[in-house]
Amino acid sequence: MKTLYSVDKASMLDINEIIRLRVALLKEVHEIQSEEEENKIVNATKSYLETEISNNNFVSYIAKSNEEVVSVSGVSFFKRPPYLENLQGIEAYILNMYTLPNHRNQGLARQLLEKCIKECKKRNVKRIWLHASKDGEALYRSMGFEFKGSEMELFL
């Protein structure tokens, strides 16, 4: 039987689940090496999310299976000085794209990324950028992102 997933915009009530998957991601890519580092990340991320979700500078989409968050995305919005390709200076950084291993290859990351891009279009973002893991590169390329140095970008 195929697993059913729901995909929704995260709320303040989902902060602990966003953090749980962020920690899993950071452990998987070996950026958290100890319990002390994990505690620092958890506390700093909680403070960041409480502020930035409430002031609408950070948006996350989550996928759930049986009420468990199994996949997460994040997009941080900011404004920088204008440049020729982006005269409004509105940009977004995609981060925190992560799916629990036993829920991968179900199209969840694509669905979450599509929602992030739609949110960016709604906000008149001109440039979206991210740092891709090796596992994520194919998805981002298929969605139009191109490498520029060590990052990938998509102009809308």
Side-chain angles (χ1 to χ4, degrees), residues 15-28:
I15 286 177
N16 289 335
E17 291 298 298
I18 295 168
I19 294 169
R20 180 177 64 86
L21 267 66
R22 178 169 171 72
V23 166
L25 166 65
L26 294 174
K27 285 181 174 179
E28 190 171 306

Side-chain angles (χ1 to χ4, degrees), residues 95-113:
L95 67 154
N96 240 35
M97 294 289 298
Y98 184 75
T99 301
L100 292 174
N102 57 335
H103 292 276
R104 292 180 182 165
N105 301 310
Q106 304 295 314
L108 295 174
R110 178 174 296 278
Q111 287 181 58
L112 296 177
L113 183 58

